[in-house]
Amino acid sequence: QRTGLTPCDYVRRRRTTRALELLENSSLKRSAIAGEVGFYDQSHMLKQIRRLRAEEMSSIHENPAAC
């Protein structure tokens, strides 16, 4: 199955998505979630979350009919 992402970007997106799920649905601390999903630390995880959200907003602006 093709995703249109490089292997590195695919893994990063999966980790970030899983981190967001855990942040919303668990009582774990941010640092524990970062370690659980494979980020080096909480700061790196939060940076990747911001990056993913920026990419999502950019794609919405490029293709508003997809909303």
PDB file of all heavy atoms in Angstrom, residues 3-33:
ATOM      1  N   THR A   3       1.737   5.223   0.476  1.00  0.00           N
ATOM      2  CA  THR A   3       1.292   6.334   1.315  1.00  0.00           C
ATOM      3  C   THR A   3       1.712   7.682   0.749  1.00  0.00           C
ATOM      4  O   THR A   3       1.209   8.702   1.189  1.00  0.00           O
ATOM      5  CB  THR A   3       1.879   6.211   2.732  1.00  0.00           C
ATOM      6  OG1 THR A   3       3.311   6.291   2.646  1.00  0.00           O
ATOM      7  CG2 THR A   3       1.459   4.922   3.393  1.00  0.00           C
ATOM      8  N   GLY A   4       2.663   7.671  -0.165  1.00  0.00           N
ATOM      9  CA  GLY A   4       3.184   8.928  -0.688  1.00  0.00           C
ATOM     10  C   GLY A   4       4.204   9.563   0.239  1.00  0.00           C
ATOM     11  O   GLY A   4       4.604  10.699   0.031  1.00  0.00           O
ATOM     12  N   LEU A   5       4.618   8.815   1.262  1.00  0.00           N
ATOM     13  CA  LEU A   5       5.590   9.322   2.230  1.00  0.00           C
ATOM     14  C   LEU A   5       6.863   8.497   2.150  1.00  0.00           C
ATOM     15  O   LEU A   5       6.820   7.313   1.804  1.00  0.00           O
ATOM     16  CB  LEU A   5       5.035   9.215   3.657  1.00  0.00           C
ATOM     17  CG  LEU A   5       3.750   9.965   3.965  1.00  0.00           C
ATOM     18  CD1 LEU A   5       3.227   9.548   5.337  1.00  0.00           C
ATOM     19  CD2 LEU A   5       3.983  11.456   3.925  1.00  0.00           C
ATOM     20  N   THR A   6       7.978   9.116   2.514  1.00  0.00           N
ATOM     21  CA  THR A   6       9.211   8.352   2.645  1.00  0.00           C
ATOM     22  C   THR A   6       9.073   7.450   3.872  1.00  0.00           C
ATOM     23  O   THR A   6       8.239   7.721   4.749  1.00  0.00           O
ATOM     24  CB  THR A   6      10.427   9.269   2.837  1.00  0.00           C
ATOM     25  OG1 THR A   6      10.295   9.943   4.101  1.00  0.00           O
ATOM     26  CG2 THR A   6      10.556  10.287   1.710  1.00  0.00           C
ATOM     27  N   PRO A   7       9.850   6.399   3.966  1.00  0.00           N
ATOM     28  CA  PRO A   7       9.767   5.540   5.152  1.00  0.00           C
ATOM     29  C   PRO A   7       9.961   6.312   6.462  1.00  0.00           C
ATOM     30  O   PRO A   7       9.225   6.093   7.430  1.00  0.00           O
ATOM     31  CB  PRO A   7      10.879   4.510   4.940  1.00  0.00           C
ATOM     32  CG  PRO A   7      11.000   4.416   3.452  1.00  0.00           C
ATOM     33  CD  PRO A   7      10.757   5.819   2.972  1.00  0.00           C
ATOM     34  N   CYS A   8      10.898   7.233   6.471  1.00  0.00           N
ATOM     35  CA  CYS A   8      11.152   8.042   7.673  1.00  0.00           C
ATOM     36  C   CYS A   8       9.936   8.900   8.021  1.00  0.00           C
ATOM     37  O   CYS A   8       9.525   8.969   9.186  1.00  0.00           O
ATOM     38  CB  CYS A   8      12.379   8.911   7.459  1.00  0.00           C
ATOM     39  SG  CYS A   8      12.875   9.860   8.904  1.00  0.00           S
ATOM     40  N   ASP A   9       9.358   9.545   7.021  1.00  0.00           N
ATOM     41  CA  ASP A   9       8.172  10.379   7.261  1.00  0.00           C
ATOM     42  C   ASP A   9       6.979   9.542   7.707  1.00  0.00           C
ATOM     43  O   ASP A   9       6.197   9.970   8.544  1.00  0.00           O
ATOM     44  CB  ASP A   9       7.805  11.180   6.008  1.00  0.00           C
ATOM     45  CG  ASP A   9       8.770  12.318   5.740  1.00  0.00           C
ATOM     46  OD1 ASP A   9       9.470  12.747   6.674  1.00  0.00           O
ATOM     47  OD2 ASP A   9       8.826  12.774   4.579  1.00  0.00           O
ATOM     48  N   TYR A  10       6.852   8.343   7.153  1.00  0.00           N
ATOM     49  CA  TYR A  10       5.758   7.459   7.535  1.00  0.00           C
ATOM     50  C   TYR A  10       5.867   7.087   9.019  1.00  0.00           C
ATOM     51  O   TYR A  10       4.893   7.184   9.762  1.00  0.00           O
ATOM     52  CB  TYR A  10       5.765   6.200   6.675  1.00  0.00           C
ATOM     53  CG  TYR A  10       4.718   5.201   7.093  1.00  0.00           C
ATOM     54  CD1 TYR A  10       3.385   5.369   6.732  1.00  0.00           C
ATOM     55  CD2 TYR A  10       5.057   4.093   7.869  1.00  0.00           C
ATOM     56  CE1 TYR A  10       2.414   4.462   7.129  1.00  0.00           C
ATOM     57  CE2 TYR A  10       4.095   3.184   8.279  1.00  0.00           C
ATOM     58  CZ  TYR A  10       2.786   3.370   7.907  1.00  0.00           C
ATOM     59  OH  TYR A  10       1.839   2.468   8.315  1.00  0.00           O
ATOM     60  N   VAL A  11       7.059   6.694   9.448  1.00  0.00           N
ATOM     61  CA  VAL A  11       7.269   6.320  10.859  1.00  0.00           C
ATOM     62  C   VAL A  11       7.022   7.522  11.759  1.00  0.00           C
ATOM     63  O   VAL A  11       6.365   7.416  12.801  1.00  0.00           O
ATOM     64  CB  VAL A  11       8.680   5.734  11.065  1.00  0.00           C
ATOM     65  CG1 VAL A  11       8.995   5.578  12.546  1.00  0.00           C
ATOM     66  CG2 VAL A  11       8.817   4.405  10.345  1.00  0.00           C
ATOM     67  N   ARG A  12       7.531   8.683  11.362  1.00  0.00           N
ATOM     68  CA  ARG A  12       7.346   9.893  12.161  1.00  0.00           C
ATOM     69  C   ARG A  12       5.858  10.225  12.298  1.00  0.00           C
ATOM     70  O   ARG A  12       5.375  10.545  13.388  1.00  0.00           O
ATOM     71  CB  ARG A  12       8.077  11.065  11.520  1.00  0.00           C
ATOM     72  CG  ARG A  12       8.024  12.334  12.343  1.00  0.00           C
ATOM     73  CD  ARG A  12       8.747  13.502  11.686  1.00  0.00           C
ATOM     74  NE  ARG A  12      10.132  13.175  11.356  1.00  0.00           N
ATOM     75  CZ  ARG A  12      10.621  13.180  10.111  1.00  0.00           C
ATOM     76  NH1 ARG A  12       9.860  13.496   9.089  1.00  0.00           N
ATOM     77  NH2 ARG A  12      11.886  12.872   9.890  1.00  0.00           N
ATOM     78  N   ARG A  13       5.117  10.102  11.215  1.00  0.00           N
ATOM     79  CA  ARG A  13       3.681  10.391  11.248  1.00  0.00           C
ATOM     80  C   ARG A  13       2.936   9.386  12.142  1.00  0.00           C
ATOM     81  O   ARG A  13       2.063   9.761  12.899  1.00  0.00           O
ATOM     82  CB  ARG A  13       3.093  10.373   9.844  1.00  0.00           C
ATOM     83  CG  ARG A  13       1.624  10.758   9.820  1.00  0.00           C
ATOM     84  CD  ARG A  13       1.155  10.931   8.415  1.00  0.00           C
ATOM     85  NE  ARG A  13       1.789  12.102   7.845  1.00  0.00           N
ATOM     86  CZ  ARG A  13       1.136  13.157   7.382  1.00  0.00           C
ATOM     87  NH1 ARG A  13      -0.162  13.171   7.397  1.00  0.00           N
ATOM     88  NH2 ARG A  13       1.780  14.184   6.889  1.00  0.00           N
ATOM     89  N   ARG A  14       3.299   8.113  12.044  1.00  0.00           N
ATOM     90  CA  ARG A  14       2.664   7.094  12.889  1.00  0.00           C
ATOM     91  C   ARG A  14       2.942   7.363  14.369  1.00  0.00           C
ATOM     92  O   ARG A  14       2.042   7.272  15.201  1.00  0.00           O
ATOM     93  CB  ARG A  14       3.163   5.691  12.521  1.00  0.00           C
ATOM     94  CG  ARG A  14       2.740   5.209  11.155  1.00  0.00           C
ATOM     95  CD  ARG A  14       1.343   4.731  11.131  1.00  0.00           C
ATOM     96  NE  ARG A  14       1.220   3.634  12.092  1.00  0.00           N
ATOM     97  CZ  ARG A  14       0.172   2.882  12.220  1.00  0.00           C
ATOM     98  NH1 ARG A  14      -0.873   3.085  11.458  1.00  0.00           N
ATOM     99  NH2 ARG A  14       0.126   1.921  13.111  1.00  0.00           N
ATOM    100  N   ARG A  15       4.191   7.694  14.693  1.00  0.00           N
ATOM    101  CA  ARG A  15       4.546   7.995  16.084  1.00  0.00           C
ATOM    102  C   ARG A  15       3.774   9.205  16.590  1.00  0.00           C
ATOM    103  O   ARG A  15       3.250   9.205  17.709  1.00  0.00           O
ATOM    104  CB  ARG A  15       6.044   8.286  16.208  1.00  0.00           C
ATOM    105  CG  ARG A  15       6.914   7.087  16.136  1.00  0.00           C
ATOM    106  CD  ARG A  15       8.352   7.485  16.290  1.00  0.00           C
ATOM    107  NE  ARG A  15       9.200   6.308  16.215  1.00  0.00           N
ATOM    108  CZ  ARG A  15      10.486   6.355  15.997  1.00  0.00           C
ATOM    109  NH1 ARG A  15      11.105   7.505  15.828  1.00  0.00           N
ATOM    110  NH2 ARG A  15      11.182   5.244  15.951  1.00  0.00           N
ATOM    111  N   THR A  16       3.721  10.230  15.767  1.00  0.00           N
ATOM    112  CA  THR A  16       3.053  11.469  16.166  1.00  0.00           C
ATOM    113  C   THR A  16       1.556  11.246  16.350  1.00  0.00           C
ATOM    114  O   THR A  16       0.962  11.715  17.326  1.00  0.00           O
ATOM    115  CB  THR A  16       3.314  12.569  15.123  1.00  0.00           C
ATOM    116  OG1 THR A  16       4.735  12.715  14.940  1.00  0.00           O
ATOM    117  CG2 THR A  16       2.748  13.894  15.568  1.00  0.00           C
ATOM    118  N   THR A  17       0.947  10.522  15.439  1.00  0.00           N
ATOM    119  CA  THR A  17      -0.477  10.230  15.547  1.00  0.00           C
ATOM    120  C   THR A  17      -0.773   9.423  16.804  1.00  0.00           C
ATOM    121  O   THR A  17      -1.734   9.703  17.528  1.00  0.00           O
ATOM    122  CB  THR A  17      -0.959   9.477  14.291  1.00  0.00           C
ATOM    123  OG1 THR A  17      -0.677  10.271  13.143  1.00  0.00           O
ATOM    124  CG2 THR A  17      -2.444   9.195  14.346  1.00  0.00           C
ATOM    125  N   ARG A  18       0.061   8.438  17.083  1.00  0.00           N
ATOM    126  CA  ARG A  18      -0.126   7.626  18.291  1.00  0.00           C
ATOM    127  C   ARG A  18       0.066   8.476  19.543  1.00  0.00           C
ATOM    128  O   ARG A  18      -0.682   8.342  20.520  1.00  0.00           O
ATOM    129  CB  ARG A  18       0.842   6.441  18.287  1.00  0.00           C
ATOM    130  CG  ARG A  18       0.733   5.557  19.493  1.00  0.00           C
ATOM    131  CD  ARG A  18      -0.610   4.838  19.538  1.00  0.00           C
ATOM    132  NE  ARG A  18      -0.661   4.002  20.726  1.00  0.00           N
ATOM    133  CZ  ARG A  18      -1.719   3.856  21.500  1.00  0.00           C
ATOM    134  NH1 ARG A  18      -2.845   4.448  21.197  1.00  0.00           N
ATOM    135  NH2 ARG A  18      -1.676   3.100  22.560  1.00  0.00           N
ATOM    136  N   ALA A  19       1.045   9.367  19.524  1.00  0.00           N
ATOM    137  CA  ALA A  19       1.271  10.256  20.667  1.00  0.00           C
ATOM    138  C   ALA A  19       0.044  11.126  20.919  1.00  0.00           C
ATOM    139  O   ALA A  19      -0.377  11.303  22.070  1.00  0.00           O
ATOM    140  CB  ALA A  19       2.503  11.127  20.436  1.00  0.00           C
ATOM    141  N   LEU A  20      -0.555  11.659  19.869  1.00  0.00           N
ATOM    142  CA  LEU A  20      -1.765  12.471  20.013  1.00  0.00           C
ATOM    143  C   LEU A  20      -2.908  11.656  20.615  1.00  0.00           C
ATOM    144  O   LEU A  20      -3.631  12.148  21.482  1.00  0.00           O
ATOM    145  CB  LEU A  20      -2.191  13.044  18.655  1.00  0.00           C
ATOM    146  CG  LEU A  20      -1.373  14.228  18.163  1.00  0.00           C
ATOM    147  CD1 LEU A  20      -1.680  14.513  16.707  1.00  0.00           C
ATOM    148  CD2 LEU A  20      -1.636  15.449  19.026  1.00  0.00           C
ATOM    149  N   GLU A  21      -3.050  10.417  20.166  1.00  0.00           N
ATOM    150  CA  GLU A  21      -4.094   9.546  20.725  1.00  0.00           C
ATOM    151  C   GLU A  21      -3.879   9.345  22.218  1.00  0.00           C
ATOM    152  O   GLU A  21      -4.826   9.422  23.009  1.00  0.00           O
ATOM    153  CB  GLU A  21      -4.089   8.193  20.018  1.00  0.00           C
ATOM    154  CG  GLU A  21      -4.572   8.229  18.595  1.00  0.00           C
ATOM    155  CD  GLU A  21      -4.344   6.910  17.869  1.00  0.00           C
ATOM    156  OE1 GLU A  21      -3.818   5.949  18.481  1.00  0.00           O
ATOM    157  OE2 GLU A  21      -4.678   6.840  16.683  1.00  0.00           O
ATOM    158  N   LEU A  22      -2.643   9.076  22.608  1.00  0.00           N
ATOM    159  CA  LEU A  22      -2.346   8.856  24.023  1.00  0.00           C
ATOM    160  C   LEU A  22      -2.524  10.131  24.842  1.00  0.00           C
ATOM    161  O   LEU A  22      -3.001  10.075  25.981  1.00  0.00           O
ATOM    162  CB  LEU A  22      -0.928   8.300  24.187  1.00  0.00           C
ATOM    163  CG  LEU A  22      -0.729   6.861  23.710  1.00  0.00           C
ATOM    164  CD1 LEU A  22       0.749   6.496  23.728  1.00  0.00           C
ATOM    165  CD2 LEU A  22      -1.538   5.900  24.561  1.00  0.00           C
ATOM    166  N   LEU A  23      -2.154  11.262  24.285  1.00  0.00           N
ATOM    167  CA  LEU A  23      -2.335  12.530  25.003  1.00  0.00           C
ATOM    168  C   LEU A  23      -3.809  12.796  25.277  1.00  0.00           C
ATOM    169  O   LEU A  23      -4.174  13.295  26.341  1.00  0.00           O
ATOM    170  CB  LEU A  23      -1.735  13.690  24.204  1.00  0.00           C
ATOM    171  CG  LEU A  23      -0.219  13.802  24.227  1.00  0.00           C
ATOM    172  CD1 LEU A  23       0.249  14.793  23.161  1.00  0.00           C
ATOM    173  CD2 LEU A  23       0.275  14.231  25.600  1.00  0.00           C
ATOM    174  N   GLU A  24      -4.653  12.451  24.328  1.00  0.00           N
ATOM    175  CA  GLU A  24      -6.082  12.711  24.457  1.00  0.00           C
ATOM    176  C   GLU A  24      -6.801  11.670  25.316  1.00  0.00           C
ATOM    177  O   GLU A  24      -7.785  11.991  25.971  1.00  0.00           O
ATOM    178  CB  GLU A  24      -6.738  12.750  23.074  1.00  0.00           C
ATOM    179  CG  GLU A  24      -6.294  13.925  22.245  1.00  0.00           C
ATOM    180  CD  GLU A  24      -6.801  13.868  20.811  1.00  0.00           C
ATOM    181  OE1 GLU A  24      -7.519  12.907  20.463  1.00  0.00           O
ATOM    182  OE2 GLU A  24      -6.478  14.778  20.042  1.00  0.00           O
ATOM    183  N   ASN A  25      -6.298  10.431  25.329  1.00  0.00           N
ATOM    184  CA  ASN A  25      -7.065   9.336  25.918  1.00  0.00           C
ATOM    185  C   ASN A  25      -6.387   8.597  27.067  1.00  0.00           C
ATOM    186  O   ASN A  25      -6.856   7.527  27.442  1.00  0.00           O
ATOM    187  CB  ASN A  25      -7.431   8.318  24.831  1.00  0.00           C
ATOM    188  CG  ASN A  25      -8.222   8.945  23.710  1.00  0.00           C
ATOM    189  OD1 ASN A  25      -9.151   9.690  23.954  1.00  0.00           O
ATOM    190  ND2 ASN A  25      -7.844   8.665  22.483  1.00  0.00           N
ATOM    191  N   SER A  26      -5.302   9.129  27.588  1.00  0.00           N
ATOM    192  CA  SER A  26      -4.656   8.439  28.697  1.00  0.00           C
ATOM    193  C   SER A  26      -4.243   9.447  29.767  1.00  0.00           C
ATOM    194  O   SER A  26      -4.254  10.651  29.541  1.00  0.00           O
ATOM    195  CB  SER A  26      -3.431   7.658  28.216  1.00  0.00           C
ATOM    196  OG  SER A  26      -2.337   8.524  28.010  1.00  0.00           O
ATOM    197  N   SER A  27      -3.871   8.919  30.900  1.00  0.00           N
ATOM    198  CA  SER A  27      -3.421   9.777  31.996  1.00  0.00           C
ATOM    199  C   SER A  27      -1.902   9.784  32.110  1.00  0.00           C
ATOM    200  O   SER A  27      -1.358  10.307  33.086  1.00  0.00           O
ATOM    201  CB  SER A  27      -4.049   9.309  33.313  1.00  0.00           C
ATOM    202  OG  SER A  27      -3.659   7.976  33.580  1.00  0.00           O
ATOM    203  N   LEU A  28      -1.224   9.222  31.105  1.00  0.00           N
ATOM    204  CA  LEU A  28       0.236   9.207  31.123  1.00  0.00           C
ATOM    205  C   LEU A  28       0.802  10.618  30.994  1.00  0.00           C
ATOM    206  O   LEU A  28       0.199  11.479  30.343  1.00  0.00           O
ATOM    207  CB  LEU A  28       0.766   8.360  29.963  1.00  0.00           C
ATOM    208  CG  LEU A  28       0.494   6.867  30.006  1.00  0.00           C
ATOM    209  CD1 LEU A  28       0.912   6.228  28.688  1.00  0.00           C
ATOM    210  CD2 LEU A  28       1.222   6.230  31.169  1.00  0.00           C
ATOM    211  N   LYS A  29       1.964  10.822  31.589  1.00  0.00           N
ATOM    212  CA  LYS A  29       2.654  12.105  31.443  1.00  0.00           C
ATOM    213  C   LYS A  29       3.237  12.211  30.039  1.00  0.00           C
ATOM    214  O   LYS A  29       3.499  11.200  29.377  1.00  0.00           O
ATOM    215  CB  LYS A  29       3.763  12.217  32.479  1.00  0.00           C
ATOM    216  CG  LYS A  29       3.257  12.277  33.897  1.00  0.00           C
ATOM    217  CD  LYS A  29       4.403  12.450  34.850  1.00  0.00           C
ATOM    218  CE  LYS A  29       3.866  12.553  36.280  1.00  0.00           C
ATOM    219  NZ  LYS A  29       4.953  12.800  37.233  1.00  0.00           N
ATOM    220  N   ARG A  30       3.448  13.438  29.616  1.00  0.00           N
ATOM    221  CA  ARG A  30       3.996  13.662  28.275  1.00  0.00           C
ATOM    222  C   ARG A  30       5.319  12.943  28.070  1.00  0.00           C
ATOM    223  O   ARG A  30       5.563  12.367  27.012  1.00  0.00           O
ATOM    224  CB  ARG A  30       4.208  15.157  28.028  1.00  0.00           C
ATOM    225  CG  ARG A  30       2.950  15.935  27.886  1.00  0.00           C
ATOM    226  CD  ARG A  30       3.292  17.370  27.595  1.00  0.00           C
ATOM    227  NE  ARG A  30       2.145  18.227  27.792  1.00  0.00           N
ATOM    228  CZ  ARG A  30       2.208  19.536  27.754  1.00  0.00           C
ATOM    229  NH1 ARG A  30       3.359  20.137  27.539  1.00  0.00           N
ATOM    230  NH2 ARG A  30       1.126  20.251  27.941  1.00  0.00           N
ATOM    231  N   SER A  31       6.184  12.993  29.069  1.00  0.00           N
ATOM    232  CA  SER A  31       7.488  12.337  28.934  1.00  0.00           C
ATOM    233  C   SER A  31       7.335  10.829  28.768  1.00  0.00           C
ATOM    234  O   SER A  31       8.069  10.204  28.003  1.00  0.00           O
ATOM    235  CB  SER A  31       8.375  12.656  30.133  1.00  0.00           C
ATOM    236  OG  SER A  31       7.747  12.265  31.337  1.00  0.00           O
ATOM    237  N   ALA A  32       6.367  10.236  29.460  1.00  0.00           N
ATOM    238  CA  ALA A  32       6.121   8.796  29.330  1.00  0.00           C
ATOM    239  C   ALA A  32       5.573   8.469  27.944  1.00  0.00           C
ATOM    240  O   ALA A  32       5.962   7.459  27.343  1.00  0.00           O
ATOM    241  CB  ALA A  32       5.152   8.328  30.405  1.00  0.00           C
ATOM    242  N   ILE A  33       4.703   9.308  27.435  1.00  0.00           N
ATOM    243  CA  ILE A  33       4.147   9.095  26.099  1.00  0.00           C
ATOM    244  C   ILE A  33       5.242   9.200  25.050  1.00  0.00           C
ATOM    245  O   ILE A  33       5.321   8.383  24.138  1.00  0.00           O
ATOM    246  CB  ILE A  33       3.001  10.089  25.811  1.00  0.00           C
ATOM    247  CG1 ILE A  33       1.801   9.764  26.718  1.00  0.00           C
ATOM    248  CG2 ILE A  33       2.603  10.069  24.340  1.00  0.00           C
ATOM    249  CD1 ILE A  33       0.690  10.785  26.674  1.00  0.00           C
TER     250      ILE A  33
END
